[in-house]
Amino acid sequence: MFGIHHLELKHQVTDAPGLYITTTHYGDMASNYLKTLLNSDSKSSIVSFESLASLLKNKTQQSKNELKSSLHTRQSFFIEKNKSNIKLEKLTNDLNKIRFTQQKSLIIYLPESTILSSKNNERISFFTHLNNIAQKYNLAVYVVIFGEDIHHLNHWLIQHPKCFLGVSTLYQSDQDKYIYQIHYWLSQGEITTNYEYEVVRNSHGEFLVDIDALKAEHPESVGSSDDHFIYISAKAIDSNQSSQQTMVKFQDNQALFDEIDTLHAATLVLSLNQQQEVHPLAMQVYRLRRQFGLKFKVVIREMQQCLRYSDEAFLSRAGINLIVPSSVRYPRFLSMLETLQKQKLTCSIPESMDALLALNTNVHYGHRGYVNNHVFVGRCHYLSQQYERTQLQFALVKLSLLPGINTNSCLNMCHIKRDGDLITACHDALYVLLSSVRENDVHIALNHIFKLPIRDMFHSHSIFTTVSRIHAQLPEIITNAVTIDEATQQLIQSGSLFANNPTNQADDFVYATHKPLEFSL
């Protein structure tokens, strides 16, 4: 028992009294986990610091009915708070008012923001109080915590093992695949650490261990013979350098793939010269992985800078072991190859080609440049939904306008060239959506979009990189929408044409031109 069916017995049985924690990244995943947990234990009480409506959100009618039925057969308490001002001390006071009778376990369901916004001593005091409840009523207490910043909480939980008998995390690894990671677990005197299960969901939305994955033999391990062989595309070797004795050269990537059936276990080094090569190269590597498993280590050497952040993520999911940036000089590249050869690697790839292609977010871009506020917000919602599956970071930037400045003048100072990057206007601010960007690279991206430094053009700027913080801005974007002039309307029309006609090329777009700023006196 513990919210996932078919776990090993040592991970099903929990010791009472005691405290067990499971964390998830999203409320939808947490509510599905809670449903499985309730069905696994009919003699449990539940205290939720989320409303019932929140638990039932985004579920089918059947799932709603099943969850309601599970809640009605047990002690269920829903304690709603003002989320902007919720304190652990208040939660403790609410728990003190509840009397638990004739139950073997207690489920606590709450968001991570409540804990992360509290001080260290407040957290310890809260979990100590939960342990006291477990001791008083002889209960196994299961705490389900969800939130986007759960990795910060996991770090804290692992650092305080005296408070808990077990800490685990459930996260999504693919479109229909999940990983249940046990950080540590105490049951019947046995301790488990750093253990993982591959998990799927059944037709009722409940989580269960993937039996097929559990029974499947491990992929062929990389043999020691690969420490002495490197098969390399000649285009991955600098023109003024020669190959080493351990290298076997091929004319290009395709020539290497053509001879793959005759090659022994080794390291393959492929060249990449332009961004258009990413998609076909990823397809070839994926087919290689499906056919040979881990027989080969696969390295891509970027010969000239062309890879985007989203390209690197896509290649990684296809089965690439290492991507060497163009900035790395040839001697350093050889050192990286030498280090890689001495490693025993594992590589998890999608189950099908369609599953891999679904991770290529570049093909989903339908707009670029200025779009109206509703299209902009729709794109934000889309990226939020995709983030759970792809883990591809994105950012929303709010640029507050200077007093008296004309909105259209600011728009004329921007120039967006990358598909998927959008900008829209409100009464007091411009909003920029960067569809795939690391948080550290946001300012670099803004410098490429605006002709002048943003500190000179705008009163202030705010960067939002988590789904919850981005969603909090979306109502404001709709409420404060402004009407732009006819010249800027051409940018909206260009974006719409691109969405309806994927064959349009970049040259078909009309971009903003740089003009002096206009101030209203």
Tab-separated table of all heavy atoms in Angstrom, residues 173-174 270 272 277-279 281-287 289-290 293-294 296-300 307-324 345-351 355-357 359-362 389-392 438:
chain	number	residue	atom	x	y	z
A	173	SER	N	7.801	11.015	-16.612
A	173	SER	CA	9.005	10.881	-17.433
A	173	SER	C	8.698	10.907	-18.916
A	173	SER	O	9.570	11.187	-19.733
A	173	SER	CB	9.736	9.579	-17.093
A	173	SER	OG	8.911	8.456	-17.358
A	174	ASP	N	7.469	10.595	-19.295
A	174	ASP	CA	7.057	10.582	-20.694
A	174	ASP	C	5.559	10.838	-20.741
A	174	ASP	O	4.917	11.013	-19.703
A	174	ASP	CB	7.410	9.237	-21.339
A	174	ASP	CG	7.605	9.360	-22.842
A	174	ASP	OD1	7.156	10.369	-23.410
A	174	ASP	OD2	8.190	8.453	-23.457
A	270	LEU	N	29.193	11.876	-34.302
A	270	LEU	CA	28.502	12.441	-35.454
A	270	LEU	C	28.715	13.946	-35.496
A	270	LEU	O	28.879	14.585	-34.464
A	270	LEU	CB	27.003	12.136	-35.370
A	270	LEU	CG	26.635	10.668	-35.117
A	270	LEU	CD1	25.142	10.530	-34.858
A	270	LEU	CD2	27.050	9.804	-36.299
A	272	LEU	N	27.432	17.871	-36.656
A	272	LEU	CA	26.219	18.654	-36.864
A	272	LEU	C	26.628	20.070	-37.236
A	272	LEU	O	27.357	20.724	-36.489
A	272	LEU	CB	25.351	18.651	-35.605
A	272	LEU	CG	23.931	19.197	-35.778
A	272	LEU	CD1	22.950	18.434	-34.890
A	272	LEU	CD2	23.858	20.682	-35.435
A	277	GLU	N	19.601	20.029	-39.556
A	277	GLU	CA	20.024	18.638	-39.452
A	277	GLU	C	19.545	17.969	-38.170
A	277	GLU	O	19.653	16.745	-38.029
A	277	GLU	CB	21.556	18.557	-39.513
A	277	GLU	CG	22.159	19.050	-40.814
A	277	GLU	CD	23.686	19.017	-40.768
A	277	GLU	OE1	24.235	18.514	-39.764
A	277	GLU	OE2	24.313	19.501	-41.724
A	278	VAL	N	19.013	18.749	-37.227
A	278	VAL	CA	18.656	18.203	-35.915
A	278	VAL	C	17.595	17.126	-36.029
A	278	VAL	O	17.737	16.023	-35.481
A	278	VAL	CB	18.179	19.337	-34.977
A	278	VAL	CG1	17.585	18.751	-33.701
A	278	VAL	CG2	19.331	20.272	-34.649
A	279	HIS	N	16.500	17.412	-36.738
A	279	HIS	CA	15.378	16.476	-36.793
A	279	HIS	C	15.768	15.147	-37.443
A	279	HIS	O	15.541	14.077	-36.851
A	279	HIS	CB	14.210	17.124	-37.537
A	279	HIS	CG	12.950	16.324	-37.500
A	279	HIS	ND1	12.661	15.360	-38.436
A	279	HIS	CD2	11.905	16.328	-36.630
A	279	HIS	CE1	11.504	14.793	-38.153
A	279	HIS	NE2	11.018	15.362	-37.069
A	281	LEU	N	18.703	13.821	-37.809
A	281	LEU	CA	19.727	13.167	-37.002
A	281	LEU	C	19.103	12.504	-35.774
A	281	LEU	O	19.464	11.381	-35.395
A	281	LEU	CB	20.777	14.189	-36.572
A	281	LEU	CG	22.064	13.630	-35.937
A	281	LEU	CD1	22.745	12.642	-36.877
A	281	LEU	CD2	23.009	14.760	-35.585
A	282	ALA	N	18.143	13.190	-35.150
A	282	ALA	CA	17.454	12.607	-33.996
A	282	ALA	C	16.709	11.340	-34.395
A	282	ALA	O	16.700	10.346	-33.656
A	282	ALA	CB	16.493	13.632	-33.396
A	283	MET	N	16.068	11.337	-35.578
A	283	MET	CA	15.351	10.148	-36.044
A	283	MET	C	16.290	8.968	-36.252
A	283	MET	O	15.982	7.826	-35.888
A	283	MET	CB	14.624	10.461	-37.368
A	283	MET	CG	13.551	11.549	-37.269
A	283	MET	SD	12.216	11.173	-36.123
A	283	MET	CE	12.731	12.131	-34.687
A	284	GLN	N	17.442	9.231	-36.833
A	284	GLN	CA	18.414	8.160	-37.080
A	284	GLN	C	18.948	7.579	-35.770
A	284	GLN	O	19.091	6.362	-35.634
A	284	GLN	CB	19.562	8.693	-37.943
A	284	GLN	CG	19.175	8.944	-39.396
A	284	GLN	CD	20.333	9.490	-40.202
A	284	GLN	OE1	20.923	10.516	-39.860
A	284	GLN	NE2	20.668	8.806	-41.291
A	285	VAL	N	19.244	8.451	-34.821
A	285	VAL	CA	19.754	7.983	-33.533
A	285	VAL	C	18.686	7.185	-32.796
A	285	VAL	O	18.975	6.156	-32.165
A	285	VAL	CB	20.245	9.165	-32.685
A	285	VAL	CG1	20.590	8.711	-31.269
A	285	VAL	CG2	21.456	9.830	-33.334
A	286	TYR	N	17.445	7.636	-32.881
A	286	TYR	CA	16.363	6.904	-32.216
A	286	TYR	C	16.229	5.488	-32.792
A	286	TYR	O	16.069	4.515	-32.045
A	286	TYR	CB	15.049	7.670	-32.364
A	286	TYR	CG	13.872	6.956	-31.738
A	286	TYR	CD1	13.656	6.997	-30.362
A	286	TYR	CD2	12.980	6.219	-32.523
A	286	TYR	CE1	12.591	6.335	-29.773
A	286	TYR	CE2	11.914	5.552	-31.946
A	286	TYR	CZ	11.725	5.608	-30.574
A	286	TYR	OH	10.680	4.938	-29.996
A	287	ARG	N	16.276	5.367	-34.122
A	287	ARG	CA	16.192	4.036	-34.738
A	287	ARG	C	17.363	3.162	-34.295
A	287	ARG	O	17.211	1.953	-34.072
A	287	ARG	CB	16.162	4.171	-36.256
A	287	ARG	CG	14.925	4.890	-36.799
A	287	ARG	CD	14.874	4.838	-38.312
A	287	ARG	NE	13.777	5.640	-38.833
A	287	ARG	CZ	13.913	6.859	-39.310
A	287	ARG	NH1	15.116	7.449	-39.336
A	287	ARG	NH2	12.870	7.531	-39.772
A	289	ARG	N	18.943	3.350	-31.428
A	289	ARG	CA	18.691	2.951	-30.037
A	289	ARG	C	17.663	1.820	-29.973
A	289	ARG	O	17.805	0.886	-29.185
A	289	ARG	CB	18.198	4.152	-29.229
A	289	ARG	CG	19.292	5.148	-28.886
A	289	ARG	CD	20.265	4.543	-27.916
A	289	ARG	NE	21.299	5.503	-27.527
A	289	ARG	CZ	22.555	5.180	-27.307
A	289	ARG	NH1	22.940	3.920	-27.456
A	289	ARG	NH2	23.424	6.082	-26.936
A	290	ARG	N	16.605	1.915	-30.777
A	290	ARG	CA	15.584	0.876	-30.770
A	290	ARG	C	16.143	-0.453	-31.270
A	290	ARG	O	15.720	-1.525	-30.829
A	290	ARG	CB	14.397	1.283	-31.649
A	290	ARG	CG	13.682	2.545	-31.196
A	290	ARG	CD	13.086	2.424	-29.811
A	290	ARG	NE	12.045	1.419	-29.732
A	290	ARG	CZ	11.406	1.093	-28.627
A	290	ARG	NH1	11.716	1.704	-27.484
A	290	ARG	NH2	10.467	0.174	-28.631
A	293	GLY	N	19.949	-0.811	-28.640
A	293	GLY	CA	19.966	-0.500	-27.216
A	293	GLY	C	21.191	0.323	-26.853
A	293	GLY	O	21.475	1.348	-27.475
A	294	LEU	N	21.954	-0.139	-25.874
A	294	LEU	CA	23.127	0.602	-25.396
A	294	LEU	C	24.430	0.060	-25.968
A	294	LEU	O	25.494	0.274	-25.407
A	294	LEU	CB	23.182	0.561	-23.867
A	294	LEU	CG	21.993	1.185	-23.140
A	294	LEU	CD1	22.204	1.129	-21.641
A	294	LEU	CD2	21.757	2.612	-23.594
A	296	PHE	N	26.014	1.095	-28.441
A	296	PHE	CA	26.868	2.219	-28.818
A	296	PHE	C	26.633	3.406	-27.887
A	296	PHE	O	25.522	3.652	-27.435
A	296	PHE	CB	26.582	2.668	-30.255
A	296	PHE	CG	26.806	1.607	-31.291
A	296	PHE	CD1	25.723	0.979	-31.896
A	296	PHE	CD2	28.088	1.224	-31.641
A	296	PHE	CE1	25.917	0.004	-32.847
A	296	PHE	CE2	28.286	0.235	-32.598
A	296	PHE	CZ	27.199	-0.378	-33.202
A	297	LYS	N	27.708	4.143	-27.605
A	297	LYS	CA	27.589	5.483	-27.042
A	297	LYS	C	27.577	6.450	-28.223
A	297	LYS	O	28.371	6.310	-29.151
A	297	LYS	CB	28.757	5.797	-26.120
A	297	LYS	CG	28.909	4.860	-24.930
A	297	LYS	CD	30.013	5.359	-24.017
A	297	LYS	CE	30.199	4.421	-22.830
A	297	LYS	NZ	31.266	3.426	-23.074
A	298	VAL	N	26.686	7.433	-28.180
A	298	VAL	CA	26.517	8.338	-29.317
A	298	VAL	C	26.837	9.766	-28.887
A	298	VAL	O	26.259	10.280	-27.924
A	298	VAL	CB	25.082	8.267	-29.885
A	298	VAL	CG1	24.965	9.142	-31.124
A	298	VAL	CG2	24.702	6.826	-30.208
A	299	VAL	N	27.765	10.386	-29.629
A	299	VAL	CA	28.215	11.749	-29.344
A	299	VAL	C	27.954	12.614	-30.570
A	299	VAL	O	28.205	12.190	-31.700
A	299	VAL	CB	29.718	11.779	-28.991
A	299	VAL	CG1	30.199	13.206	-28.763
A	299	VAL	CG2	30.003	10.904	-27.781
A	300	ILE	N	27.452	13.818	-30.350
A	300	ILE	CA	27.296	14.792	-31.427
A	300	ILE	C	28.262	15.935	-31.190
A	300	ILE	O	28.314	16.502	-30.090
A	300	ILE	CB	25.856	15.328	-31.495
A	300	ILE	CG1	24.936	14.269	-32.078
A	300	ILE	CG2	25.789	16.602	-32.332
A	300	ILE	CD1	23.510	14.723	-32.263
A	307	LEU	N	22.728	25.029	-32.427
A	307	LEU	CA	21.766	24.332	-31.585
A	307	LEU	C	21.059	25.279	-30.623
A	307	LEU	O	21.700	26.099	-29.973
A	307	LEU	CB	22.457	23.224	-30.786
A	307	LEU	CG	22.813	21.949	-31.543
A	307	LEU	CD1	23.573	20.997	-30.638
A	307	LEU	CD2	21.564	21.276	-32.078
A	308	ARG	N	19.755	25.145	-30.549
A	308	ARG	CA	18.968	25.857	-29.568
A	308	ARG	C	18.799	24.966	-28.337
A	308	ARG	O	19.049	23.760	-28.368
A	308	ARG	CB	17.588	26.201	-30.137
A	308	ARG	CG	17.624	27.047	-31.401
A	308	ARG	CD	16.228	27.136	-32.007
A	308	ARG	NE	16.210	27.962	-33.224
A	308	ARG	CZ	15.154	28.060	-34.018
A	308	ARG	NH1	14.046	27.398	-33.723
A	308	ARG	NH2	15.195	28.811	-35.095
A	309	TYR	N	18.331	25.583	-27.295
A	309	TYR	CA	18.054	24.831	-26.059
A	309	TYR	C	17.057	23.707	-26.320
A	309	TYR	O	17.230	22.573	-25.876
A	309	TYR	CB	17.538	25.804	-25.005
A	309	TYR	CG	16.824	25.177	-23.840
A	309	TYR	CD1	17.423	24.183	-23.078
A	309	TYR	CD2	15.542	25.595	-23.493
A	309	TYR	CE1	16.753	23.617	-21.998
A	309	TYR	CE2	14.879	25.043	-22.414
A	309	TYR	CZ	15.487	24.050	-21.673
A	309	TYR	OH	14.831	23.486	-20.615
A	310	SER	N	15.989	23.997	-27.093
A	310	SER	CA	14.980	22.980	-27.381
A	310	SER	C	15.554	21.857	-28.241
A	310	SER	O	15.151	20.697	-28.098
A	310	SER	CB	13.778	23.613	-28.087
A	310	SER	OG	14.184	24.304	-29.251
A	311	ASP	N	16.496	22.170	-29.139
A	311	ASP	CA	17.137	21.138	-29.962
A	311	ASP	C	17.951	20.181	-29.101
A	311	ASP	O	17.925	18.957	-29.307
A	311	ASP	CB	18.045	21.783	-31.009
A	311	ASP	CG	17.285	22.642	-32.000
A	311	ASP	OD1	16.119	22.310	-32.287
A	311	ASP	OD2	17.839	23.650	-32.459
A	312	GLU	N	18.685	20.729	-28.144
A	312	GLU	CA	19.495	19.888	-27.264
A	312	GLU	C	18.614	18.936	-26.461
A	312	GLU	O	18.946	17.755	-26.304
A	312	GLU	CB	20.321	20.772	-26.325
A	312	GLU	CG	21.362	21.619	-27.030
A	312	GLU	CD	22.039	22.598	-26.090
A	312	GLU	OE1	21.591	22.694	-24.926
A	312	GLU	OE2	23.010	23.259	-26.511
A	313	ALA	N	17.479	19.457	-25.976
A	313	ALA	CA	16.563	18.611	-25.208
A	313	ALA	C	15.977	17.511	-26.080
A	313	ALA	O	15.851	16.353	-25.651
A	313	ALA	CB	15.450	19.470	-24.613
A	314	PHE	N	15.629	17.837	-27.318
A	314	PHE	CA	15.051	16.855	-28.241
A	314	PHE	C	16.064	15.758	-28.579
A	314	PHE	O	15.739	14.561	-28.575
A	314	PHE	CB	14.593	17.575	-29.504
A	314	PHE	CG	13.925	16.681	-30.514
A	314	PHE	CD1	12.872	15.854	-30.139
A	314	PHE	CD2	14.339	16.672	-31.832
A	314	PHE	CE1	12.246	15.035	-31.070
A	314	PHE	CE2	13.724	15.859	-32.773
A	314	PHE	CZ	12.674	15.044	-32.387
A	315	LEU	N	17.298	16.136	-28.866
A	315	LEU	CA	18.337	15.153	-29.173
A	315	LEU	C	18.612	14.246	-27.972
A	315	LEU	O	18.843	13.042	-28.115
A	315	LEU	CB	19.623	15.869	-29.601
A	315	LEU	CG	19.597	16.525	-30.983
A	315	LEU	CD1	20.816	17.429	-31.167
A	315	LEU	CD2	19.554	15.476	-32.083
A	316	SER	N	18.588	14.822	-26.800
A	316	SER	CA	18.824	14.034	-25.597
A	316	SER	C	17.760	12.960	-25.433
A	316	SER	O	18.062	11.810	-25.089
A	316	SER	CB	18.857	14.956	-24.376
A	316	SER	OG	19.013	14.214	-23.187
A	317	ARG	N	16.485	13.324	-25.687
A	317	ARG	CA	15.410	12.345	-25.562
A	317	ARG	C	15.500	11.275	-26.648
A	317	ARG	O	14.989	10.159	-26.471
A	317	ARG	CB	14.057	13.042	-25.633
A	317	ARG	CG	13.801	14.036	-24.517
A	317	ARG	CD	13.888	13.406	-23.143
A	317	ARG	NE	12.835	12.458	-22.900
A	317	ARG	CZ	11.652	12.745	-22.373
A	317	ARG	NH1	11.398	13.987	-22.004
A	317	ARG	NH2	10.750	11.813	-22.195
A	318	ALA	N	16.115	11.590	-27.772
A	318	ALA	CA	16.266	10.608	-28.847
A	318	ALA	C	17.323	9.557	-28.531
A	318	ALA	O	17.342	8.498	-29.168
A	318	ALA	CB	16.617	11.314	-30.158
A	319	GLY	N	18.201	9.828	-27.548
A	319	GLY	CA	19.188	8.829	-27.164
A	319	GLY	C	20.633	9.259	-27.272
A	319	GLY	O	21.539	8.426	-27.200
A	320	ILE	N	20.877	10.557	-27.447
A	320	ILE	CA	22.252	11.051	-27.513
A	320	ILE	C	22.876	11.016	-26.111
A	320	ILE	O	22.250	11.401	-25.129
A	320	ILE	CB	22.277	12.495	-28.057
A	320	ILE	CG1	21.722	12.539	-29.481
A	320	ILE	CG2	23.695	13.063	-28.028
A	320	ILE	CD1	22.511	11.747	-30.481
A	321	ASN	N	24.124	10.540	-26.024
A	321	ASN	CA	24.807	10.504	-24.737
A	321	ASN	C	25.526	11.808	-24.395
A	321	ASN	O	25.612	12.180	-23.224
A	321	ASN	CB	25.843	9.369	-24.710
A	321	ASN	CG	25.207	8.005	-24.872
A	321	ASN	OD1	25.496	7.295	-25.821
A	321	ASN	ND2	24.327	7.645	-23.961
A	322	LEU	N	26.013	12.505	-25.422
A	322	LEU	CA	26.802	13.711	-25.168
A	322	LEU	C	26.719	14.632	-26.371
A	322	LEU	O	26.825	14.182	-27.532
A	322	LEU	CB	28.264	13.342	-24.898
A	322	LEU	CG	29.251	14.500	-24.684
A	322	LEU	CD1	28.919	15.252	-23.394
A	322	LEU	CD2	30.687	13.975	-24.635
A	323	ILE	N	26.512	15.926	-26.112
A	323	ILE	CA	26.568	16.957	-27.155
A	323	ILE	C	27.736	17.874	-26.836
A	323	ILE	O	27.800	18.462	-25.761
A	323	ILE	CB	25.261	17.762	-27.209
A	323	ILE	CG1	24.088	16.848	-27.547
A	323	ILE	CG2	25.367	18.885	-28.236
A	323	ILE	CD1	22.741	17.545	-27.507
A	324	VAL	N	28.675	17.989	-27.750
A	324	VAL	CA	29.868	18.810	-27.556
A	324	VAL	C	29.667	20.140	-28.286
A	324	VAL	O	29.554	20.160	-29.516
A	324	VAL	CB	31.132	18.109	-28.085
A	324	VAL	CG1	32.360	18.968	-27.838
A	324	VAL	CG2	31.293	16.735	-27.429
A	345	LEU	N	26.754	3.546	-19.154
A	345	LEU	CA	25.659	4.483	-19.293
A	345	LEU	C	24.309	3.789	-19.391
A	345	LEU	O	24.212	2.645	-19.820
A	345	LEU	CB	25.857	5.337	-20.550
A	345	LEU	CG	27.166	6.120	-20.615
A	345	LEU	CD1	27.283	6.797	-21.955
A	345	LEU	CD2	27.227	7.144	-19.505
A	346	THR	N	23.273	4.490	-18.974
A	346	THR	CA	21.893	4.073	-19.208
A	346	THR	C	21.210	5.171	-19.996
A	346	THR	O	21.577	6.338	-19.907
A	346	THR	CB	21.134	3.848	-17.880
A	346	THR	OG1	21.139	5.068	-17.139
A	346	THR	CG2	21.798	2.744	-17.071
A	347	CYS	N	20.239	4.793	-20.777
A	347	CYS	CA	19.574	5.773	-21.635
A	347	CYS	C	18.114	5.383	-21.790
A	347	CYS	O	17.808	4.294	-22.273
A	347	CYS	CB	20.265	5.822	-23.002
A	347	CYS	SG	19.633	7.103	-24.093
A	348	SER	N	17.202	6.240	-21.370
A	348	SER	CA	15.766	5.984	-21.496
A	348	SER	C	15.225	6.781	-22.667
A	348	SER	O	15.414	7.998	-22.746
A	348	SER	CB	15.045	6.383	-20.202
A	348	SER	OG	13.660	6.243	-20.340
A	349	ILE	N	14.558	6.096	-23.598
A	349	ILE	CA	14.023	6.758	-24.778
A	349	ILE	C	12.523	6.484	-24.868
A	349	ILE	O	12.014	5.538	-24.270
A	349	ILE	CB	14.724	6.287	-26.073
A	349	ILE	CG1	14.487	4.788	-26.292
A	349	ILE	CG2	16.202	6.595	-26.024
A	349	ILE	CD1	14.996	4.296	-27.627
A	350	PRO	N	11.784	7.308	-25.607
A	350	PRO	CA	10.335	7.104	-25.759
A	350	PRO	C	10.009	5.746	-26.375
A	350	PRO	O	10.833	5.147	-27.080
A	350	PRO	CB	9.916	8.258	-26.683
A	350	PRO	CG	10.960	9.304	-26.474
A	350	PRO	CD	12.239	8.561	-26.240
A	351	GLU	N	8.781	5.292	-26.145
A	351	GLU	CA	8.366	3.969	-26.596
A	351	GLU	C	8.169	3.893	-28.102
A	351	GLU	O	8.253	2.813	-28.688
A	351	GLU	CB	7.062	3.567	-25.890
A	351	GLU	CG	7.216	3.336	-24.401
A	351	GLU	CD	8.061	2.116	-24.095
A	351	GLU	OE1	8.051	1.168	-24.899
A	351	GLU	OE2	8.757	2.124	-23.068
A	355	ALA	N	5.862	9.108	-30.081
A	355	ALA	CA	6.101	9.674	-28.747
A	355	ALA	C	7.304	10.600	-28.758
A	355	ALA	O	7.319	11.630	-28.081
A	355	ALA	CB	6.298	8.553	-27.732
A	356	LEU	N	8.331	10.244	-29.541
A	356	LEU	CA	9.509	11.110	-29.655
A	356	LEU	C	9.151	12.408	-30.373
A	356	LEU	O	9.522	13.499	-29.924
A	356	LEU	CB	10.623	10.381	-30.407
A	356	LEU	CG	11.870	11.224	-30.713
A	356	LEU	CD1	12.581	11.624	-29.427
A	356	LEU	CD2	12.827	10.469	-31.629
A	357	LEU	N	8.421	12.304	-31.489
A	357	LEU	CA	8.069	13.500	-32.256
A	357	LEU	C	7.199	14.443	-31.447
A	357	LEU	O	7.241	15.656	-31.637
A	357	LEU	CB	7.346	13.093	-33.548
A	357	LEU	CG	8.201	12.357	-34.585
A	357	LEU	CD1	7.354	11.904	-35.758
A	357	LEU	CD2	9.346	13.226	-35.063
A	359	LEU	N	7.658	15.219	-28.533
A	359	LEU	CA	8.540	15.987	-27.661
A	359	LEU	C	9.266	17.103	-28.412
A	359	LEU	O	9.929	17.929	-27.803
A	359	LEU	CB	9.581	15.063	-27.016
A	359	LEU	CG	9.011	13.956	-26.122
A	359	LEU	CD1	10.118	12.999	-25.696
A	359	LEU	CD2	8.336	14.556	-24.902
A	360	ASN	N	9.138	17.105	-29.737
A	360	ASN	CA	9.785	18.140	-30.545
A	360	ASN	C	8.884	19.365	-30.592
A	360	ASN	O	8.018	19.485	-31.454
A	360	ASN	CB	10.058	17.613	-31.952
A	360	ASN	CG	10.829	18.610	-32.798
A	360	ASN	OD1	11.320	19.619	-32.283
A	360	ASN	ND2	10.945	18.343	-34.080
A	361	THR	N	9.049	20.264	-29.633
A	361	THR	CA	8.154	21.418	-29.512
A	361	THR	C	8.284	22.391	-30.671
A	361	THR	O	7.397	23.209	-30.889
A	361	THR	CB	8.427	22.170	-28.197
A	361	THR	OG1	9.811	22.552	-28.155
A	361	THR	CG2	8.116	21.281	-27.005
A	362	ASN	N	9.363	22.326	-31.441
A	362	ASN	CA	9.538	23.259	-32.555
A	362	ASN	C	8.423	23.134	-33.583
A	362	ASN	O	8.019	24.099	-34.209
A	362	ASN	CB	10.892	23.015	-33.240
A	362	ASN	CG	12.046	23.510	-32.394
A	362	ASN	OD1	11.899	24.430	-31.617
A	362	ASN	ND2	13.196	22.875	-32.535
A	389	ARG	N	5.208	17.270	-19.602
A	389	ARG	CA	5.704	16.138	-20.380
A	389	ARG	C	7.121	16.362	-20.895
A	389	ARG	O	7.957	15.463	-20.873
A	389	ARG	CB	4.750	15.891	-21.562
A	389	ARG	CG	5.113	14.732	-22.438
A	389	ARG	CD	3.956	14.405	-23.364
A	389	ARG	NE	3.482	15.585	-24.076
A	389	ARG	CZ	4.024	16.026	-25.207
A	389	ARG	NH1	5.046	15.393	-25.751
A	389	ARG	NH2	3.555	17.097	-25.808
A	390	THR	N	7.416	17.582	-21.368
A	390	THR	CA	8.711	17.837	-22.000
A	390	THR	C	9.762	18.385	-21.050
A	390	THR	O	10.953	18.275	-21.319
A	390	THR	CB	8.542	18.843	-23.153
A	390	THR	OG1	8.119	20.111	-22.620
A	390	THR	CG2	7.504	18.352	-24.153
A	391	GLN	N	9.318	19.036	-19.946
A	391	GLN	CA	10.222	19.706	-19.007
A	391	GLN	C	11.061	20.776	-19.699
A	391	GLN	O	12.167	21.104	-19.266
A	391	GLN	CB	11.134	18.691	-18.319
A	391	GLN	CG	10.397	17.721	-17.413
A	391	GLN	CD	9.684	18.432	-16.269
A	391	GLN	OE1	10.312	19.118	-15.464
A	391	GLN	NE2	8.366	18.279	-16.188
A	392	LEU	N	10.541	21.317	-20.806
A	392	LEU	CA	11.250	22.359	-21.546
A	392	LEU	C	10.901	23.711	-20.932
A	392	LEU	O	9.743	24.122	-20.923
A	392	LEU	CB	10.852	22.327	-23.026
A	392	LEU	CG	11.759	23.089	-23.989
A	392	LEU	CD1	13.139	22.444	-24.046
A	392	LEU	CD2	11.144	23.125	-25.378
A	438	ARG	N	16.349	28.846	-21.157
A	438	ARG	CA	16.782	28.649	-19.782
A	438	ARG	C	16.679	29.977	-19.037
A	438	ARG	O	16.848	31.050	-19.627
A	438	ARG	CB	18.222	28.128	-19.739
A	438	ARG	CG	18.402	26.751	-20.348
A	438	ARG	CD	19.849	26.300	-20.208
A	438	ARG	NE	20.085	24.983	-20.781
A	438	ARG	CZ	20.445	24.769	-22.035
A	438	ARG	NH1	20.628	25.798	-22.856
A	438	ARG	NH2	20.629	23.540	-22.479
